[in-house]
Coordinates of all heavy atoms in Angstrom, one line a residue:
M1 N 213.2 78.0 137.9 CA 213.9 77.2 136.9 C 213.7 75.7 137.4 O 214.1 75.3 138.5 CB 215.3 77.6 136.9 CG 216.0 77.1 135.8 SD 217.7 77.6 135.4 CE 217.7 79.3 135.9
P2 N 213.1 74.8 136.7 CA 212.9 73.4 137.0 C 214.2 72.6 137.3 O 215.2 72.7 136.4 CB 212.2 72.8 135.8 CG 211.6 74.0 135.0 CD 212.6 75.1 135.4
V3 N 214.3 71.9 138.4 CA 215.5 71.2 138.6 C 215.2 69.8 138.0 O 214.1 69.2 138.1 CB 215.6 71.1 140.1 CG1 216.7 70.0 140.6 CG2 216.0 72.4 140.9
I4 N 216.2 69.3 137.3 CA 216.1 68.0 136.7 C 217.0 67.0 137.2 O 216.8 65.9 137.1 CB 216.4 68.1 135.2 CG1 217.7 68.7 134.8 CG2 215.3 68.9 134.4 CD1 218.0 68.6 133.3
S5 N 217.9 67.4 138.1 CA 218.8 66.3 138.7 C 219.6 67.1 139.8 O 220.0 68.3 139.8 CB 219.8 65.7 137.8 OG 220.5 64.6 138.4
M6 N 219.9 66.3 140.9 CA 220.8 66.7 142.0 C 221.8 65.6 142.3 O 221.3 64.5 142.5 CB 220.0 67.3 143.3 CG 219.2 68.4 143.0 SD 218.4 69.0 144.5 CE 217.2 67.8 144.8
F7 N 223.0 65.9 142.3 CA 224.0 64.9 142.8 C 225.2 65.6 143.3 O 225.8 66.5 142.8 CB 224.4 64.0 141.7 CG 224.6 64.6 140.5 CD1 226.0 64.9 140.1 CD2 223.7 64.9 139.5 CE1 226.3 65.5 138.9 CE2 223.9 65.6 138.3 CZ 225.3 65.8 137.9
Y8 N 225.9 65.1 144.3 CA 227.0 65.6 144.9 C 227.3 67.1 145.2 O 228.2 67.7 144.9 CB 228.3 65.0 144.1 CG 228.4 63.6 144.1 CD1 228.1 62.9 142.9 CD2 228.8 62.8 145.2 CE1 228.2 61.4 142.9 CE2 229.0 61.4 145.0 CZ 228.6 60.8 144.1 OH 228.8 59.4 143.8
G9 N 226.1 67.5 145.6 CA 226.0 69.1 145.7 C 225.8 69.8 144.5 O 225.7 71.0 144.6
V10 N 225.7 69.2 143.4 CA 225.4 69.8 142.2 C 223.9 69.9 141.8 O 223.2 68.8 142.0 CB 226.1 69.1 141.0 CG1 225.8 69.6 139.7 CG2 227.6 69.1 141.2
I11 N 223.4 71.0 141.4 CA 222.0 71.2 141.0 C 222.0 71.4 139.5 O 222.6 72.3 139.0 CB 221.2 72.3 141.8 CG1 221.3 71.9 143.2 CG2 219.8 72.4 141.3 CD1 220.8 73.0 144.0
V12 N 221.2 70.6 138.7 CA 221.2 70.8 137.4 C 219.6 71.3 137.0 O 218.7 70.6 137.4 CB 221.4 69.4 136.7 CG1 221.3 69.7 135.0 CG2 222.8 68.9 136.9
M13 N 219.6 72.4 136.1 CA 218.3 72.8 135.9 C 218.2 73.0 134.3 O 219.3 73.3 133.8 CB 218.1 74.3 136.7 CG 218.2 74.1 138.1 SD 218.6 75.7 139.0 CE 220.2 75.8 138.7
M14 N 217.0 73.1 133.8 CA 216.8 73.4 132.4 C 215.8 74.5 132.4 O 214.6 74.4 132.9 CB 216.3 72.1 131.7 CG 216.3 72.5 130.2 SD 215.9 70.9 129.3 CE 217.5 70.1 129.4
Y15 N 216.1 75.7 132.0 CA 215.3 76.7 131.7 C 215.0 77.0 130.3 O 215.7 77.4 129.5 CB 216.0 78.0 132.4 CG 215.0 79.2 132.4 CD1 213.8 79.3 133.0 CD2 215.4 80.5 131.8 CE1 213.0 80.4 133.1 CE2 214.7 81.5 131.8 CZ 213.5 81.5 132.4 OH 212.7 82.6 132.4
F16 N 213.6 76.7 129.9 CA 213.4 76.6 128.3 C 213.3 78.0 127.7 O 213.3 78.1 126.6 CB 212.1 75.8 128.1 CG 212.2 74.5 128.9 CD1 211.5 74.3 130.1 CD2 213.0 73.5 128.5 CE1 211.4 73.1 130.6 CE2 213.1 72.2 129.2 CZ 212.3 72.1 130.3
F17 N 212.9 78.9 128.5 CA 212.6 80.2 128.0 C 213.9 81.0 127.9 O 213.8 82.3 127.5 CB 211.7 81.0 129.0 CG 210.3 80.5 129.2 CD1 209.9 80.0 130.3 CD2 209.5 80.3 127.9 CE1 208.7 79.3 130.5 CE2 208.2 79.7 128.2 CZ 207.8 79.3 129.3
D18 N 215.0 80.5 128.0 CA 216.3 81.3 128.1 C 216.9 81.3 126.7 O 218.0 81.7 126.6 CB 217.2 80.7 129.2 CG 218.2 81.7 129.5 OD1 218.2 82.9 129.3 OD2 219.2 81.3 130.1
T19 N 216.1 81.0 125.7 CA 216.7 81.0 124.2 C 217.2 82.4 123.8 O 218.1 82.4 123.0 CB 215.9 80.4 123.3 OG1 214.4 81.1 123.3 CG2 215.4 78.9 123.6
E20 N 216.6 83.4 124.3 CA 217.0 84.8 123.8 C 218.5 85.0 124.3 O 219.1 85.8 123.7 CB 216.0 85.8 124.3 CG 214.7 85.6 123.7 CD 214.7 85.8 122.2 OE1 215.3 86.7 121.7 OE2 214.0 85.0 121.4
R21 N 218.8 84.6 125.5 CA 220.0 84.9 126.1 C 221.2 84.0 125.7 O 222.3 84.5 125.3 CB 219.9 84.5 127.7 CG 221.0 85.1 128.4 CD 220.9 85.0 129.9 NE 222.0 85.2 130.6 CZ 222.1 84.7 132.0 NH1 221.1 84.3 132.5 NH2 223.2 84.9 132.7
H22 N 220.9 82.8 125.4 CA 222.0 81.9 125.0 C 221.9 81.3 123.6 O 222.9 80.9 123.0 CB 222.1 80.7 126.0 CG 222.4 81.1 127.4 ND1 223.6 81.8 127.7 CD2 221.8 81.1 128.4 CE1 223.7 82.0 129.0 NE2 222.3 81.6 129.5
H23 N 220.8 81.4 123.0 CA 220.5 81.0 121.6 C 220.8 79.6 121.3 O 220.9 79.1 120.2 CB 221.2 81.8 120.7 CG 220.8 83.3 120.9 ND1 219.7 83.9 120.6 CD2 221.7 84.2 121.4 CE1 219.8 85.2 120.8 NE2 220.9 85.4 121.3
L24 N 220.9 78.7 122.3 CA 221.3 77.2 122.1 C 220.5 76.4 123.1 O 220.2 76.9 124.3 CB 222.6 77.0 122.3 CG 223.8 77.8 121.7 CD1 225.0 77.5 122.5 CD2 224.1 77.5 120.3
P25 N 220.4 75.2 122.9 CA 219.8 74.2 124.0 C 221.0 74.1 125.0 O 222.1 74.0 124.7 CB 219.7 72.8 123.3 CG 219.6 73.3 121.8 CD 220.4 74.5 121.6
H26 N 220.5 74.3 126.2 CA 221.6 74.3 127.4 C 221.0 74.0 128.7 O 219.8 73.9 128.8 CB 222.3 75.7 127.4 CG 221.3 76.7 127.8 ND1 220.5 77.4 126.8 CD2 220.9 77.4 129.0 CE1 219.7 78.3 127.3 NE2 220.0 78.2 128.7
I27 N 221.8 73.7 129.7 CA 221.5 73.5 131.0 C 222.2 74.6 131.9 O 223.1 75.0 131.5 CB 221.8 72.1 131.6 CG1 223.2 71.8 131.4 CG2 220.8 71.1 130.8 CD1 223.7 70.5 132.2
H28 N 221.5 74.8 133.1 CA 222.1 75.6 134.0 C 222.6 74.7 135.2 O 221.8 73.8 135.6 CB 221.1 76.6 134.6 CG 220.8 77.6 133.6 ND1 221.1 78.9 133.6 CD2 220.0 77.5 132.4 CE1 220.7 79.7 132.6 NE2 219.9 78.8 131.9
V29 N 223.8 75.0 135.8 CA 224.3 74.1 136.8 C 224.8 75.0 137.9 O 225.4 76.1 137.8 CB 225.5 73.2 136.4 CG1 226.1 72.4 137.5 CG2 225.1 72.4 135.1
K30 N 224.4 74.6 139.1 CA 224.8 75.4 140.3 C 225.5 74.4 141.3 O 225.1 73.2 141.5 CB 223.5 75.9 141.0 CG 223.8 76.7 142.2 CD 222.5 77.4 142.7 CE 223.1 78.4 143.9 NZ 221.9 79.1 144.5
Y31 N 226.6 74.9 141.8 CA 227.4 74.2 142.9 C 227.8 75.3 143.9 O 228.6 76.1 143.5 CB 228.6 73.5 142.3 CG 229.3 72.9 143.4 CD1 228.9 71.8 144.1 CD2 230.6 73.3 143.7 CE1 229.7 71.2 145.0 CE2 231.5 72.8 144.7 CZ 231.0 71.7 145.4 OH 231.6 71.2 146.5
A32 N 227.4 75.1 145.1 CA 227.5 76.1 146.1 C 227.1 77.6 145.5 O 226.0 77.8 145.1 CB 229.0 76.0 146.6
E33 N 228.1 78.5 145.6 CA 227.7 79.8 145.1 C 228.1 80.0 143.6 O 227.8 81.1 143.0 CB 228.4 80.9 145.9 CG 229.9 81.0 145.7 CD 230.8 79.9 146.4 OE1 230.2 79.2 147.2 OE2 231.9 79.8 146.1
L34 N 228.6 78.9 143.0 CA 228.9 79.0 141.6 C 228.0 78.6 140.5 O 227.1 77.6 141.0 CB 230.3 78.2 141.4 CG 231.4 78.5 142.2 CD1 232.6 77.6 142.0 CD2 232.0 80.0 141.8
T35 N 227.8 79.0 139.4 CA 226.9 78.7 138.4 C 227.6 78.5 137.1 O 228.6 79.2 136.9 CB 225.8 79.6 138.3 OG1 226.2 80.9 137.9 CG2 225.0 79.7 139.6
A36 N 227.0 77.7 136.2 CA 227.5 77.6 134.8 C 226.4 77.3 134.0 O 225.5 76.7 134.3 CB 228.7 76.6 134.7
V37 N 226.6 77.7 132.8 CA 225.6 77.4 131.6 C 226.3 76.4 130.7 O 227.4 76.9 130.2 CB 225.0 78.6 131.0 CG1 224.0 78.2 129.9 CG2 224.3 79.5 132.0
I38 N 225.8 75.4 130.4 CA 226.6 74.5 129.5 C 225.8 74.1 128.3 O 224.5 73.7 128.4 CB 227.0 73.1 130.3 CG1 227.7 73.5 131.5 CG2 227.7 72.2 129.3 CD1 228.1 72.3 132.4
D39 N 226.3 74.1 127.1 CA 225.6 73.9 125.9 C 225.4 72.3 125.7 O 226.2 71.6 126.0 CB 226.5 74.3 124.7 CG 226.2 74.0 123.3 OD1 225.1 73.5 123.1 OD2 226.9 74.3 122.4
L40 N 224.2 72.0 125.3 CA 223.8 70.5 125.1 C 224.4 69.9 123.8 O 224.5 68.7 123.8 CB 222.3 70.3 125.1 CG 221.6 70.7 126.4 CD1 220.1 70.4 126.2 CD2 222.0 69.8 127.6
E41 N 224.8 70.7 123.0 CA 225.4 70.2 121.7 C 226.8 69.8 121.7 O 227.1 68.7 121.3 CB 225.1 71.3 120.6 CG 223.8 71.6 120.2 CD 223.0 70.3 119.7 OE1 223.6 69.5 118.9 OE2 221.8 70.3 120.0
N42 N 227.6 70.6 122.3 CA 229.0 70.3 122.4 C 229.7 70.3 123.8 O 230.8 70.3 123.9 CB 229.9 71.2 121.4 CG 229.6 72.6 121.8 OD1 229.3 73.1 123.0 ND2 230.0 73.6 120.9
F43 N 228.7 70.5 124.7 CA 229.2 70.4 126.2 C 230.2 71.3 126.6 O 231.0 71.2 127.4 CB 229.7 69.0 126.5 CG 228.6 67.8 126.5 CD1 227.5 68.1 126.0 CD2 228.9 66.7 127.0 CE1 226.4 67.1 125.9 CE2 228.1 65.6 127.0 CZ 226.8 65.7 126.4
Q44 N 230.2 72.6 125.9 CA 231.0 73.7 126.3 C 230.3 74.6 127.3 O 229.1 74.8 127.3 CB 231.4 74.4 125.1 CG 232.2 73.7 124.0 CD 233.5 73.3 124.5 OE1 234.3 74.1 125.0 NE2 233.9 72.0 124.3
V45 N 231.1 75.2 128.2 CA 230.6 76.1 129.2 C 230.4 77.5 128.3 O 231.3 78.0 127.7 CB 231.6 76.3 130.4 CG1 231.1 77.4 131.2 CG2 231.7 75.0 131.1
I46 N 229.1 77.9 128.4 CA 228.7 79.1 127.7 C 228.9 80.3 128.7 O 229.4 81.4 128.2 CB 227.3 79.2 127.3 CG1 227.0 77.9 126.4 CG2 226.8 80.4 126.7 CD1 225.6 77.7 126.1
E47 N 228.8 80.1 130.0 CA 228.9 81.2 130.9 C 229.1 80.6 132.3 O 228.7 79.5 132.5 CB 227.5 82.0 130.8 CG 227.3 83.1 131.8 CD 225.9 83.7 131.6 OE1 225.7 84.3 130.5 OE2 225.2 83.7 132.5
G48 N 229.8 81.3 133.1 CA 230.1 80.9 134.3 C 231.4 80.0 134.5 O 232.0 79.7 133.6
N49 N 231.5 79.3 135.8 CA 232.4 78.4 136.0 C 232.1 77.4 137.2 O 231.3 77.9 138.0 CB 233.8 79.1 136.2 CG 233.8 80.0 137.3 OD1 232.9 80.0 138.1 ND2 235.0 80.8 137.4
L50 N 232.7 76.4 137.1 CA 232.5 75.4 138.2 C 234.0 74.9 138.6 O 234.9 74.9 137.7 CB 231.8 74.2 137.8 CG 230.2 74.4 137.5 CD1 229.6 73.1 136.9 CD2 229.6 74.9 138.7
P51 N 234.2 74.2 139.8 CA 235.4 73.6 140.0 C 235.6 72.5 139.1 O 234.7 71.9 138.6 CB 235.3 73.1 141.5 CG 234.2 73.8 142.0 CD 233.4 74.3 140.9
N52 N 236.9 72.2 138.7 CA 237.2 71.2 137.6 C 236.6 69.9 137.9 O 236.1 69.2 137.1 CB 238.7 71.2 137.3 CG 239.3 72.2 136.6 OD1 238.6 72.9 135.8 ND2 240.6 72.6 136.6
N53 N 236.6 69.4 139.1 CA 236.2 68.1 139.6 C 234.6 68.0 139.3 O 234.2 67.1 138.9 CB 236.6 67.6 141.0 CG 236.1 68.5 142.0 OD1 235.7 69.8 141.8 ND2 235.9 67.9 143.2
K54 N 233.8 69.1 139.8 CA 232.5 69.1 139.6 C 232.1 69.3 138.2 O 231.1 68.7 137.5 CB 231.8 70.3 140.3 CG 232.0 70.2 141.8 CD 231.5 68.8 142.4 CE 231.6 68.7 143.9 NZ 231.3 67.4 144.3
L55 N 232.8 70.1 137.4 CA 232.6 70.1 135.9 C 232.8 68.9 135.3 O 231.9 68.4 134.4 CB 233.5 71.3 135.2 CG 233.3 71.4 133.7 CD1 231.8 71.9 133.4 CD2 234.4 72.5 133.2
R56 N 233.7 68.2 135.4 CA 234.0 66.8 134.9 C 232.9 65.8 135.3 O 232.3 65.1 134.4 CB 235.3 66.2 135.4 CG 236.5 66.8 134.7 CD 237.7 66.0 134.9 NE 238.0 65.7 136.3 CZ 238.8 66.5 137.1 NH1 239.3 67.7 136.5 NH2 239.0 66.1 138.2
L57 N 232.4 65.9 136.5 CA 231.2 65.1 136.9 C 230.0 65.5 136.2 O 229.3 64.7 135.7 CB 231.0 65.3 138.4 CG 229.9 64.5 139.1 CD1 230.3 63.1 139.0 CD2 229.9 65.0 140.6
V58 N 229.7 66.7 136.0 CA 228.5 67.2 135.2 C 228.6 66.7 133.8 O 227.7 66.3 133.1 CB 228.4 68.7 135.3 CG1 227.3 69.2 134.3 CG2 228.0 69.2 136.7
L59 N 229.8 66.8 133.2 CA 230.0 66.5 131.8 C 229.8 65.0 131.6 O 229.2 64.5 130.5 CB 231.3 67.0 131.3 CG 231.6 68.5 131.2 CD1 233.0 68.7 130.8 CD2 230.6 69.2 130.2
A60 N 230.3 64.3 132.6 CA 230.0 62.8 132.4 C 228.6 62.5 132.5 O 228.0 61.6 132.0 CB 230.9 62.1 133.5
W61 N 227.9 63.1 133.5 CA 226.5 62.9 133.6 C 225.7 63.3 132.5 O 224.7 62.7 132.0 CB 225.9 63.7 134.8 CG 224.6 63.7 135.1 CD1 223.7 62.8 135.8 CD2 223.5 64.6 134.5 NE1 222.5 63.0 135.8 CE2 222.2 64.1 134.9 CE3 223.6 65.7 133.7 CZ2 221.0 64.8 134.7 CZ3 222.3 66.3 133.4 CH2 221.1 65.8 133.9
M62 N 226.0 64.4 131.8 CA 225.4 64.9 130.5 C 225.7 63.9 129.5 O 224.8 63.7 128.6 CB 226.1 66.2 130.1 CG 225.6 67.4 130.9 SD 226.3 68.9 130.5 CE 225.5 69.2 128.9
E63 N 226.9 63.2 129.3 CA 227.1 62.3 128.3 C 226.1 61.1 128.4 O 225.6 60.5 127.5 CB 228.6 61.8 128.4 CG 228.9 60.8 127.3 CD 228.8 61.4 125.9 OE1 229.1 62.5 125.7 OE2 228.3 60.7 124.9
I64 N 226.0 60.6 129.6 CA 225.1 59.5 130.1 C 223.6 59.9 129.7 O 222.8 58.9 129.2 CB 225.2 59.1 131.5 CG1 226.6 58.6 131.8 CG2 224.1 58.1 132.0 CD1 226.9 58.4 133.3
H65 N 223.2 61.0 129.9 CA 221.9 61.5 129.7 C 221.6 62.3 128.4 O 220.7 63.0 128.4 CB 221.3 62.3 130.9 CG 221.4 61.4 132.1 ND1 220.4 60.4 132.5 CD2 222.4 61.3 133.2 CE1 220.7 59.8 133.5 NE2 221.8 60.4 134.1
R66 N 222.6 62.3 127.5 CA 222.6 63.2 126.4 C 221.3 63.1 125.6 O 220.6 64.2 125.3 CB 223.8 62.6 125.3 CG 223.7 63.5 124.1 CD 224.7 63.0 123.1 NE 226.0 63.1 123.6 CZ 227.0 63.9 123.3 NH1 226.6 64.9 122.4 NH2 228.1 64.0 123.6
D67 N 220.8 61.9 125.3 CA 219.5 61.7 124.6 C 218.3 62.3 125.4 O 217.5 62.9 124.7 CB 219.2 60.3 124.1 CG 220.3 59.8 123.2 OD1 220.9 60.5 122.5 OD2 220.5 58.5 123.2
E68 N 218.2 62.0 126.6 CA 217.0 62.6 127.4 C 217.1 64.0 127.6 O 216.0 64.7 127.5 CB 217.2 62.0 128.9 CG 216.9 60.5 128.9 CD 218.3 59.6 129.1 OE1 219.3 60.1 128.4 OE2 218.2 58.7 129.7
L69 N 218.3 64.6 127.6 CA 218.5 66.0 127.8 C 217.9 66.8 126.4 O 217.2 67.8 126.4 CB 219.9 66.5 128.0 CG 220.4 66.2 129.3 CD1 222.0 66.4 129.5 CD2 219.7 67.1 130.4
K70 N 218.4 66.1 125.4 CA 218.0 66.8 124.0 C 216.4 66.6 123.8 O 215.8 67.4 123.3 CB 218.8 66.1 122.8 CG 220.1 66.5 122.8 CD 220.9 66.0 121.6 CE 222.4 66.5 121.5 NZ 223.1 65.9 120.4
A71 N 216.0 65.4 124.2 CA 214.5 65.2 124.0 C 213.8 66.1 125.0 O 212.6 66.6 124.6 CB 214.2 63.7 124.4
N72 N 214.1 66.2 126.2 CA 213.4 67.2 127.1 C 213.4 68.6 126.5 O 212.5 69.3 126.6 CB 214.2 67.3 128.6 CG 213.8 66.0 129.3 OD1 212.9 65.4 129.0 ND2 214.7 65.7 130.4
W73 N 214.6 69.1 126.0 CA 214.8 70.4 125.5 C 213.7 70.6 124.2 O 213.0 71.6 124.2 CB 216.2 70.7 124.9 CG 216.3 72.2 124.4 CD1 216.0 72.6 123.2 CD2 216.5 73.3 125.3 NE1 216.2 73.9 123.0 CE2 216.5 74.4 124.4 CE3 216.8 73.5 126.6 CZ2 216.8 75.7 124.8 CZ3 217.1 74.9 127.0 CH2 217.0 75.9 126.1
E74 N 213.6 69.6 123.3 CA 212.8 69.6 122.1 C 211.4 69.6 122.7 O 210.5 70.4 122.0 CB 213.1 68.6 121.1 CG 214.4 68.7 120.5 CD 214.5 70.1 119.8 OE1 213.6 70.5 119.0 OE2 215.6 70.7 119.8
L75 N 211.0 68.8 123.5 CA 209.6 68.7 124.0 C 209.2 70.0 124.7 O 208.1 70.5 124.4 CB 209.6 67.5 125.0 CG 208.1 67.3 125.7 CD1 207.1 67.0 124.5 CD2 208.1 66.2 126.7
A76 N 210.0 70.6 125.5 CA 209.7 71.7 126.2 C 209.5 72.9 125.3 O 208.6 73.7 125.3 CB 210.7 72.1 127.3
K77 N 210.4 72.9 124.2 CA 210.4 74.0 123.3 C 209.0 73.8 122.5 O 208.4 75.0 122.3 CB 211.6 73.9 122.4 CG 211.8 75.0 121.3 CD 213.1 75.0 120.7 CE 212.9 73.9 119.6 NZ 214.1 73.9 118.6
K78 N 208.7 72.7 122.0 CA 207.5 72.5 121.4 C 206.2 72.8 122.1 O 205.4 73.6 121.6 CB 207.3 71.0 120.9 CG 206.1 70.7 120.2 CD 206.1 69.1 119.8 CE 204.8 68.8 119.2 NZ 204.7 67.4 119.0
I79 N 206.2 72.4 123.5 CA 205.1 72.8 124.3 C 205.0 74.3 124.6 O 203.9 74.8 124.5 CB 205.2 72.0 125.6 CG1 204.9 70.6 125.5 CG2 204.2 72.6 126.7 CD1 205.3 69.7 126.7
F80 N 206.0 75.0 124.8 CA 206.0 76.4 125.1 C 205.9 77.2 123.9 O 205.6 78.4 124.1 CB 207.2 76.9 126.0 CG 207.1 76.1 127.3 CD1 208.1 75.1 127.8 CD2 206.1 76.4 128.2 CE1 208.0 74.7 129.0 CE2 206.0 75.9 129.5 CZ 207.0 75.0 129.9
Q81 N 206.0 76.8 122.8 CA 205.9 77.5 121.5 C 204.4 77.5 121.1 O 204.0 78.4 120.2 CB 206.7 77.0 120.3 CG 208.2 77.4 120.5 CD 209.1 76.9 119.4 OE1 208.7 76.1 118.7 NE2 210.3 77.3 119.4
E82 N 203.6 76.5 121.5 CA 202.2 76.4 121.2 C 201.4 77.5 121.9 O 201.6 78.1 122.8 CB 201.7 75.1 121.4 CG 202.4 74.1 120.7 CD 201.9 72.6 121.0 OE1 201.1 72.5 122.0 OE2 202.2 71.7 120.4

């Protein structure tokens, strides 16, 4: 799964082939032994959990990078569908 960012012990990944499982644009986040999947549209946790302070940090990072995340998802989807 490609890592797109790392900060404060948080690893953010985007796995483009996971559309069958979650059916939405999303990212995967790992912190220590915990993982979460977060929807790119409404920033809701689809699966898993993170400590509240790390989740707030990830959500703030997502807000800052909202346009890039959506563009990356669309680009990857287009490339991998060809």
Side-chain angles (χ1 to χ4, degrees):
M1 195 172 322
V3 173
I4 58 174
S5 188
M6 292 188 288
F7 49 90
Y8 299 105
V10 173
I11 301 171
V12 181
M13 299 161 284
M14 189 175 282
Y15 183 57
F16 312 107
F17 297 115
D18 204 12
T19 56
E20 293 301 316
R21 185 171 170 200
H22 300 297
H23 307 287
L24 314 160
H26 63 278
I27 59 170
H28 293 253
V29 180
K30 183 173 182 177
Y31 175 72
E33 72 282 350
L34 300 173
T35 61
V37 178
I38 304 174
D39 177 4
L40 293 180
E41 296 299 320
N42 60 21
F43 293 9
Q44 296 295 312
V45 176
I46 300 169
E47 184 178 291
N49 60 10
L50 296 172
N52 286 336
N53 63 334
K54 297 301 179 187
L55 179 58
R56 285 192 308 270
L57 185 63
V58 169
L59 295 177
W61 177 87
M62 289 176 71
E63 184 63 41
I64 292 167
H65 298 282
R66 178 187 297 261
D67 293 337
E68 295 98 326
L69 288 167
K70 288 182 181 180
N72 284 342
W73 184 271
E74 290 304 317
L75 178 62
K77 189 169 78 171
K78 179 180 176 185
I79 290 171
F80 291 113
Q81 285 177 349
E82 294 177 350

